[in-house]
Amino acid sequence: MNLKHSPLVEALYEVTFEHKFEEYDPTLPGLFFAKVSDQFIDKKEIVGFEYEITDNDGNTRTIKNPYTRFNDNKGNFIQFTKDLIFFNKVEPKINWLDFKKNIVTNLEKYIEVNQNNVKSFSCLRFVNIIKVPVDDLMSDYLTFSHAIPGNEKFSEVKNFHYQTSFTYEGSYAKIEVKSISQSTDGENRLMLEISVEEEANVTYDREQENKWLQTSHDKILEIFKNCLTEKSKDRYECC
């Protein structure tokens, strides 16, 4: 989110591909790294990674494959195994256009070596840290009228955690907000995580991928603005 004073600390994009129940190819990390080694300089493999997939009959299976992480030492990460990949960008300097370009460029390289171009799930997620002065009311900053305590100071609310999901302009969206720390600088912190998801078997197409990413980004930005009171909007200059 390219706001003048952005609270964004991490952007993440997850893609799951249609699972073909084929054996894991141990050459996948090396082949992929060879294609991205001009950008990513560090490679780490984690053995025994487990995740669940649902087959066409609705049955859930646990898959256990090696999991690899690439790091460019500039805040960009790629984490992947067979038919599953994550792109991460952490602060500072999270620029949306640069992140989107990095996703599309390297996703196509992954598809080439993974030899599967049918996406089954996509999720774009932004993680923000909202700073709230300890003597201010939580309801002065966030608009969750049915969840945010309206007459309590942030310092008086312990272990606050709220999450919800809903349809927003035709997309499935999620919001999660929780208290994460108390500070010594007069401000405490809330994590505000917003995601937009799509669950459908679609063949990868560069133009459609760019369009989905941009549309999802714009929806997340609008949801973010709707989460904030006028007081918070003034702080981030996102009117």
Side-chain angles (χ1 to χ4, degrees):
M1 296 184 294
N2 298 324
L3 307 174
K4 189 169 183 178
H5 303 293
S6 175
L8 183 66
V9 297
E10 182 180 12
L12 182 146
Y13 182 52
E14 172 189 353
V15 182
T16 303
F17 291 83
E18 183 181 33
H19 198 80
K20 297 181 178 180
F21 300 100
E22 297 174 350
E23 290 294 325
Y24 174 81
D25 182 355
T27 67
L28 176 62
L31 292 173
F32 189 24
F33 190 70
K35 290 183 175 293
V36 301
S37 58
D38 58 332
Q39 176 184 357
F40 292 89
I41 59 177
D42 181 63
K43 177 167 70 80
K44 181 179 181 180
E45 192 163 319
I46 302 169
V47 178
F49 174 70
E50 294 186 2
Y51 61 101
E52 292 186 345
I53 61 95
T54 302
D55 61 25
N56 294 332
D57 297 324
N59 300 313
T60 300
R61 293 179 54 179
T62 299
I63 305 298
K64 187 174 182 179
N65 283 328
Y67 184 74
T68 306
R69 181 176 66 187
F70 297 163
N71 179 6
D72 71 350
N73 289 339
K74 297 179 181 179
N76 286 295
F77 298 87
I78 297 179
Q79 304 175 81
F80 67 96
T81 185
K82 176 178 171 55
D83 299 327
L84 175 65
I85 186 167
F86 295 87
F87 296 88
N88 299 71
K89 178 67 175 79
V90 297
E91 62 176 346
K93 297 180 180 179
I94 304 177
N95 180 277
W96 164 246
L97 294 179
D98 290 343
F99 183 53
K100 184 175 69 167
K101 181 180 178 181
N102 182 60
I103 290 172
V104 174
T105 299
N106 292 316
L107 180 59
E108 292 180 346
K109 295 175 182 178
Y110 171 79
I111 289 173
E112 184 178 344
V113 297
N114 190 57
Q115 298 183 2
N116 185 355
N117 67 348
V118 180
K119 296 167 51 186
S120 59
F121 176 79
S122 301
C123 176
L124 182 65
R125 181 180 302 118
F126 287 172
V127 181
N128 305 276
I129 300 299
I130 307 296
K131 296 181 180 180
V132 180
V134 293
D135 291 327
D136 284 5
L137 301 180
M138 293 180 69
S139 56
D140 288 341
Y141 287 83
L142 297 174
T143 60
F144 306 117
S145 59
H146 60 298
I148 298 293
N151 58 352
E152 294 187 70
K153 297 177 182 179
F154 184 91
S155 57
E156 298 170 346
V157 179
K158 305 298 183 182
N159 301 318
F160 177 79
H161 187 198
Y162 168 72
Q163 56 185 343
T164 186
S165 57
F166 52 95
T167 300
Y168 183 80
E169 295 184 358
S171 295
Y172 184 72
K174 291 182 179 179
I175 294 174
E176 181 176 5
V177 58
K178 62 182 178 180
S179 54
I180 57 172
S181 68
Q182 292 191 342
S183 175
T184 58
D185 59 3
E187 292 186 314
N188 291 332
R189 290 162 175 78
L190 287 170
M191 183 199 76
L192 174 60
E193 183 175 305
I194 305 170
S195 61
V196 169
E197 303 177 359
E198 178 184 57
E199 189 170 355
N201 285 356
V202 293
T203 301
Y204 174 83
D205 176 82
R206 174 184 278 256
E207 182 177 350
Q208 291 301 314
E209 189 74 10
N210 268 301
K211 182 179 178 180
W212 189 89
L213 285 167
Q214 187 60 51
T215 300
S216 298
H217 164 272
D218 295 345
K219 290 177 180 179
I220 288 175
L221 180 56
E222 288 303 312
I223 293 171
F224 173 77
K225 291 179 182 179
N226 291 334
C227 288
L228 304 182
T229 63
E230 292 302 319
K231 187 173 184 176
S232 292
K233 290 179 181 179
D234 290 342
R235 170 176 285 199
Y236 301 116
E237 297 191 18
C238 60
C239 57

